[in-house]
Amino acid sequence: MLQQQLEPILPRVQKPARYTGGELNSVLKDKGAVDIRFAFCFPDTYEIGMSHLGMKILYSLINERPDSWCERVFAPWTDMEKEMRSRGVELYALESGDSLRGFDIIGFTLQYELSYTNVLNMLDLAGLPLRAAERNALAPLVIGGGPCVCNPEPLAEYFDMFLPGEGEEVVGELLDLYKKHKAAGSSKAVFLQAAAGIKGVYVPSLYEVVYNTGGTVRAVLPRPGSGAPEKVRKRLVRNLDRAFVPTSYVVPSVETVHDRVSVEVFRGCVRGCRFCQAGYIYRPVREKSPETVNAQCLAGCESTGYDEVSLCSLSTGDYTRIEPLAASLLEWTNAKRVNLSLPSLRVDSFSRELSEKLTPVRRSGLTFAPEAGTQRLRDIINKNITEQEILSAAAEAFAAGWVSVKLYFMLGLPGETPEDIEGIAALAQKIVDLYYANPSRPKGKSVTVSVSVATFVPKPFTAFQWEAQNTAAEIAEKQSYLKSLVKSRKIRLSFHNREMSALEAVFALGDRRLAAVIETAWKSGCRFDGWDDVFQPALWQAAFASCGLDPSFYANRRKGFEEFLPWEVLDYGVSRAFLERENARARRAETTPSCREKCAGCGANALNGGSCDAND
Amino acid sequence: MQTIRFTFSKTGAARYLSHLDLVRCMTRALRRTGLDVKYTEGFNPHPYITFALPLPLGQEGLAEKMDVIFIDGEGPQEAAAKLGAALPEGIRIVGAAPPVHPPARIRYASYDLTLDFACVQDAQLYRQTAVRLVEQGALAAQKTAKKGRAKVLKTIDLCEHLQRFEASVQGTSVRIGATLSAGIENNVNPFLLTGALERESAVRPETQLVVREVLLMEDLMPFS
Ligand code: SF4
């Protein structure tokens, strides 16, 4: 039936293979033989979603259960949406082709604030009411996971529950409970109340948000009698060597963003960059053993046929056993003609020995993320890289024949002054000069220094969660100042869309009242807001205005430590006292040593029985 | 070292895979089989694979040909079984044997086209127009051609490239059997034919399914 409906559509849309399914290793089951049908939704394109490791893990994990069938769903691109709407095709799951409406659980992974309109659009395309309160039946249940869940409040009205933290264990518990209640014919209310008893389950409808007169949140309180916990603590997997990792992955037939096997080497980060949400919310640090990583890389390559494997984590160079791991990988990767890429090597861990070990295979490119242009500002953000380290790593790279370097910076960081902006241009120029100072540089080749500049976005559960973001207008000024300072044609300067960053901050820091804004913007046509060619900032401005909400209240206002923050109903392990301490140190431009050197007492180790692999 | 020519079909959802996607799928599938395939040298080695004639995106193929060089090992049938097990839905290995003819000998391809219309009248009009024009022996189409580096549009007469043509109406569908020029020199995409017929008849099919059945040589014998 669906096949017939799609027949006339597919030849008319871009990249039709996004919408057909049938990839190698995709899982087909008999729908009559399972109790739970789970639609795993990624609210962005197929190519992006299929590159996402977490989705692959949960897909396999759920499909391991004989009682459940997990299928994949991605956001249709705008052309496909038009065709689907005009022909009445409902959003369907790729494996069965069935409409989402008939599923038991619709699970969204929330990776990026600018995909929120896609979430609404997908629910609507499935023919479902958007608001949780309007979906009365037990099924389909709409749940959310992923990093944005550390402040799910802007989406709270649309979701039945959120799963803060790592999903591997809680999903199983949730499916067990759901199965029981489905068999018993429970109402949604009864089920949700029971689910709120599972550790790491946040049921937003069981909480009431109390506001102060100025519009700030006074508290998020469990409704009396609901039995919901006062704070929901994120879940985590204690032993990564025993954490579930699939032995086979769906292999997309079309090219995706990360077309390779990726294997996690550890979770958490030992660095403590003060702006970096990922660095805080995945704590404490838990490492996998090199044996496990090596075996998983090999199994991944064999089941997929990929010719590239990448080790992933927030900062792979900080993996304590990177050298023995690289050695054991290189034992088979060359023979199997598999490329090994280590994407997020930090400059100060780019050791010569490791780099030499990797010479037989392709390295993924030389990138540095100083984030700020001067040492003072780097100290404020606790990015512990010195200019000297960057320059000597670049010199080594040039000596080894590299001709391009990529640098990442941010504008609008707390404490930024004009000198910091000048520092960005100066550092880029120093690297250009360094290249020409190398007498053995390849003849006739010129150097390219790409400088990619984002806008600082304050995020929940970071030391900067209280900070104000610069307005888009302020950022515009800073951008043009930086542009005026860059003289060399060897420097390629690019800016991330500042209006997107502004919106990202609003939703990262927002509260439940923003639900109306998202819905209004979506109704007026906003989709794929993270895509430059689709993003429509004017429609967003109109949406804020018509809902009577001021985006700068959320993004451009500095909050005091006394203010309750909308996401403080959740507990991600890092204590507020620690974040306050870090914020105060930032104000004094005082660095905090990496967790390897000294535990900073973030508190997250309590989630792991007091242990943390960063400092044991 | 031996070359095996695999015959495969690419149908259903797999017809939306581009030629590049197909190359990638086959490469990965070969890697999964663990067969001892010959690789290119260099920084980014990949297996030696050649396709006799790429199939345009959106079309099905029943007997497409792909050559792979093996250094050592199993016979064609074993290789075909292993490769077949490593492919996505819609791509099936239907044969494997040492190559007989060089790909340069391909001159034609035979197609089975199914076009669905909104109503019987449209289907009949389309068919009548098609038959009349083919009988008259003139049916112009614009084809992009390479002139040096630039791409230019050139007008060709499709009838000169039409070796066989039959059309029938079945309900609201028109079924066309056609043999068209194919190969490196004069490849005529059947969408050129359906496009020209759409223009001349002024009726537009709702859907069209193009199936390339077999690649043929000058003597109209199958390329194998
Ligand atoms: S517990 Fe200590 S060592 Fe571990 S992440 Fe927190 S601050 Fe770092």
Side-chain angles (χ1 to χ4, degrees):
Chain A
M1 178 58 202
L2 174 79
Q3 225 41 52
Q4 254 172 25
Q5 285 182 296
L6 290 181
E7 205 83 344
I9 294 182
L10 293 180
R12 289 172 217 260
V13 299
Q14 287 174 46
K15 307 190 185 170
R18 285 168 168 175
Y19 309 110
T20 59
E23 306 92 325
L24 185 74
N25 298 338
S26 61
V27 178
L28 295 178
K29 293 193 181 187
D30 171 5
K31 57 183 157 192
V34 295
D35 300 306
I36 305 170
R37 296 196 62 188
F38 194 109
F40 199 117
C41 299
F42 196 100
D44 210 312
T45 63
Y46 176 90
E47 290 84 341
I48 294 191
M50 284 303 292
S51 303
H52 189 251
L53 182 59
M55 177 171 204
K56 294 180 191 175
I57 293 177
L58 289 171
Y59 178 80
S60 295
L61 181 101
I62 298 170
N63 279 324
E64 291 265 294
R65 294 172 62 113
D67 64 356
S68 309
W69 183 12
C70 180
E71 305 183 43
R72 295 159 301 142
V73 189
F74 302 93
W77 192 249
T78 49
D79 58 346
M80 182 65 174
E81 182 196 340
K82 249 181 236 127
E83 296 286 345
M84 288 170 75
R85 286 192 187 279
S86 79
R87 287 165 195 264
V89 177
E90 286 183 358
L91 187 65
Y92 58 91
L94 285 182
E95 280 75 1
S96 63
D98 292 340
S99 162
L100 256 55
R101 234 163 6 124
F103 278 67
D104 292 287
I105 302 179
I106 297 178
F108 281 94
T109 175
L110 302 169
Q111 299 289 325
Y112 185 30
E113 291 80 357
L114 299 193
S115 65
Y116 290 175
T117 53
N118 282 0
V119 172
L120 266 55
N121 199 40
M122 288 168 80
L123 290 174
D124 183 68
L125 273 169
L128 290 167
L130 299 181
R131 304 222 170 210
E134 290 163 14
R135 296 186 303 262
N136 301 314
L138 174 61
L141 208 62
V142 177
I143 73 176
C148 290
V149 164
C150 73
N151 178 18
E153 293 303 283
L155 287 176
E157 308 258 326
Y158 304 108
F159 279 73
D160 296 305
M161 64 173 73
F162 295 105
L163 306 177
E166 296 164 12
E168 284 107 322
E169 287 166 6
V170 68
V171 163
E173 295 163 28
L174 188 67
L175 294 180
D176 289 341
L177 185 76
Y178 176 85
K179 191 165 128 182
K180 230 172 66 194
H181 281 265
K182 184 183 179 186
S186 298
S187 70
K188 182 168 163 179
V190 166
F191 170 74
L192 286 178
Q193 200 152 345
I198 298 180
K199 287 202 168 67
V201 171
Y202 174 48
V203 178
S205 58
L206 299 183
Y207 293 79
E208 194 186 343
V209 182
V210 190
Y211 295 91
N212 295 309
T213 38
T216 53
V217 174
R218 179 182 301 173
V220 179
L221 301 168
R223 292 188 194 281
S226 69
E230 240 168 74
K231 265 187 186 253
V232 178
R233 190 168 242 212
K234 77 158 182 180
R235 288 292 291 267
L236 97 175
V237 174
R238 286 189 168 199
N239 183 339
L240 281 198
D241 280 329
R242 268 184 264 136
F244 177 84
V245 165
T247 45
S248 99
Y249 303 87
V250 179
V251 185
S253 306
V254 295
E255 194 165 16
T256 59
V257 181
H258 297 306
D259 233 347
R260 58 188 176 222
V261 172
S262 38
V263 174
E264 222 180 354
V265 292
F266 65 90
R267 286 189 192 164
C269 183
V270 302
R271 294 287 161 174
C273 299
R274 289 177 179 133
F275 57 87
C276 177
Q277 187 179 47
Y280 289 113
I281 65 170
Y282 297 119
R283 290 180 184 215
V285 175
R286 287 145 295 150
E287 287 202 348
K288 255 188 214 170
S289 69
E291 295 75 33
T292 308
V293 176
N294 185 50
Q296 290 172 353
C297 289
L298 182 60
C301 287
E302 285 180 343
S303 84
T304 59
Y306 275 128
D307 60 3
E308 186 175 347
V309 56
S310 89
L311 301 179
C312 66
S313 73
L314 293 171
S315 147
T316 299
D318 284 327
Y319 180 55
T320 48
R321 287 160 291 177
I322 186 77
E323 310 250 343
L325 172 61
S328 54
L329 287 168
L330 290 168
E331 266 169 36
W332 57 270
T333 48
N334 282 350
K336 287 190 176 289
R337 297 181 180 85
V338 167
N339 285 316
L340 188 57
S341 69
L342 305 173
S344 34
L345 273 192
R346 282 175 46 110
V347 47
D348 43 353
S349 54
F350 190 77
S351 81
R352 174 158 272 189
E353 298 91 305
L354 181 57
S355 119
E356 271 164 14
K357 274 215 173 110
L358 289 170
T359 3
V361 287
R362 193 178 52 174
R363 284 167 298 188
S364 59
L366 191 60
T367 58
F368 303 112
E371 307 291 359
T374 64
Q375 197 56 48
R376 186 194 60 90
L377 192 53
R378 284 196 292 274
D379 288 347
I380 289 179
I381 64 176
N382 205 41
K383 186 89 198 187
N384 295 337
I385 304 175
T386 63
E387 182 168 297
Q388 203 39 53
E389 283 166 326
I390 297 171
L391 292 178
S392 57
E396 269 187 38
F398 290 148
W402 295 74
V403 293
S404 68
V405 171
K406 200 162 183 183
L407 300 170
Y408 290 97
F409 291 98
M410 269 190 271
L411 284 177
L413 284 162
E416 184 184 59
T417 64
E419 289 82 71
D420 299 306
I421 301 172
E422 290 150 20
I424 296 176
L427 181 55
Q429 187 59 49
K430 274 185 200 159
I431 293 176
V432 172
D433 298 343
L434 197 66
Y435 178 82
Y436 288 103
N438 171 19
S440 63
R441 65 177 185 270
K443 280 205 173 56
K445 274 201 182 159
S446 86
V447 68
T448 314
V449 177
S450 307
V451 177
S452 168
V453 187
T455 298
F456 165 67
V457 180
K459 291 271 170 119
F461 298 108
T462 67
F464 290 158
Q465 63 178 351
W466 296 277
E467 300 297 330
Q469 189 186 40
N470 282 168
T471 62
E474 286 164 337
I475 292 295
E477 238 168 76
K478 292 182 178 184
Q479 289 179 347
S480 44
Y481 183 49
L482 178 54
K483 238 188 251 165
S484 75
L485 295 171
V486 169
K487 301 280 188 272
S488 166
R489 297 236 307 276
K490 313 287 178 214
I491 299 173
R492 231 179 260 153
L493 189 59
S494 67
F495 295 107
H496 183 74
N497 187 314
R498 55 183 177 261
E499 275 150 331
M500 280 183 194
S501 303
L503 200 59
E504 185 183 336
V506 172
F507 290 114
L509 304 169
D511 57 33
R512 290 195 186 183
R513 293 174 301 175
L514 289 170
V517 180
I518 303 172
E519 196 168 331
T520 309
W522 164 72
K523 272 199 188 126
S524 69
C526 290
R527 310 278 187 274
F528 289 97
D529 301 295
W531 292 75
D532 276 298
D533 47 341
V534 188
F535 180 53
Q536 301 185 70
L539 293 184
W540 278 102
Q541 277 161 20
F544 280 105
S546 81
C547 296
L549 287 172
D550 177 7
S552 68
F553 169 81
Y554 297 101
N556 312 121
R557 179 176 64 90
R558 184 176 148 76
K559 291 130 197 151
F561 287 162
E562 71 293 343
E563 188 172 329
F564 178 90
L565 304 169
W567 50 91
E568 287 185 298
V569 63
L570 302 180
D571 172 3
Y572 268 71
V574 286
S575 71
R576 188 185 229 259
F578 163 73
L579 295 176
E580 288 182 4
R581 233 166 31 234
E582 281 296 293
N583 186 280
R585 289 174 84 102
R587 308 214 135 233
R588 300 193 299 267
E590 233 172 75
T591 60
T592 298
S594 96
C595 292
R596 268 283 182 261
E597 293 160 58
K598 186 168 181 286
C599 171
C602 74
N605 50 349
L607 302 181
N608 199 21
S611 112
C612 176
D613 284 350
N615 200 299
D616 263 351
Chain B
M1 202 106 75
Q2 64 161 335
T3 303
I4 297 181
R5 179 164 291 166
F6 294 95
T7 305
F8 65 94
S9 62
K10 181 170 175 273
T11 58
R15 72 177 181 275
Y16 295 113
L17 300 185
S18 68
H19 185 63
L20 213 75
D21 296 332
L22 180 69
V23 174
R24 250 196 320 263
C25 281
M26 289 293 189
T27 306
R28 276 185 204 142
L30 281 168
R31 297 177 62 97
R32 286 186 78 221
T33 63
L35 290 166
D36 200 3
V37 177
K38 186 173 184 298
Y39 275 75
T40 58
E41 303 290 322
F43 219 37
N44 217 344
H46 52 88
Y48 272 105
I49 310 183
T50 45
F51 290 83
L53 190 66
L55 186 65
L57 187 138
Q59 302 183 3
E60 294 192 340
L62 300 182
E64 299 299 307
K65 304 285 183 184
M66 170 183 75
D67 294 357
V68 180
I69 304 176
F70 290 91
I71 292 187
D72 179 27
E74 284 128 299
Q77 299 328 312
E78 289 75 26
K82 284 191 177 170
L83 182 58
L87 289 167
E89 199 180 303
I91 304 177
R92 291 286 155 266
I93 303 292
V94 293
V100 182
H101 311 110
R105 295 209 32 205
I106 298 169
R107 284 286 178 283
Y108 299 104
S110 108
Y111 295 93
D112 177 6
L113 316 176
T114 309
L115 303 104
D116 286 320
F117 293 87
C119 60
V120 186
Q121 287 81 353
D122 282 1
Q124 282 169 343
L125 176 60
Y126 187 91
R127 181 192 161 268
Q128 278 159 13
T129 316
V131 172
R132 175 171 50 80
L133 291 169
V134 172
E135 268 170 14
Q136 288 168 0
L139 187 53
Q142 299 243 292
K143 184 179 187 300
T144 45
K146 277 199 189 126
K147 199 173 186 182
R149 280 207 173 168
K151 279 193 172 167
V152 291
L153 269 185
K154 91 179 193 209
T155 305
I156 59 165
D157 182 358
L158 285 171
C159 291
E160 287 173 13
H161 295 279
L162 206 50
Q163 228 292 320
R164 169 182 70 98
F165 183 87
E166 61 225 17
S168 61
V169 173
Q170 295 162 0
T172 56
S173 303
V174 173
R175 193 79 183 265
I176 294 175
T179 300
L180 283 162
S181 296
I184 312 159
E185 294 266 305
N186 268 316
N187 202 45
V188 175
N189 188 326
F191 283 143
L192 284 181
L193 176 66
T194 56
L197 294 176
E198 184 180 319
R199 188 189 64 227
E200 296 293 333
S201 64
V203 283
R204 186 173 179 195
E206 307 255 282
T207 60
Q208 38 185 318
L209 178 64
V210 173
V211 183
R212 186 154 88 184
E213 297 167 309
V214 62
L215 300 171
L216 303 167
M217 297 182 294
E218 187 69 59
D219 55 4
L220 297 178
M221 292 304 286
F223 165 80
S224 62

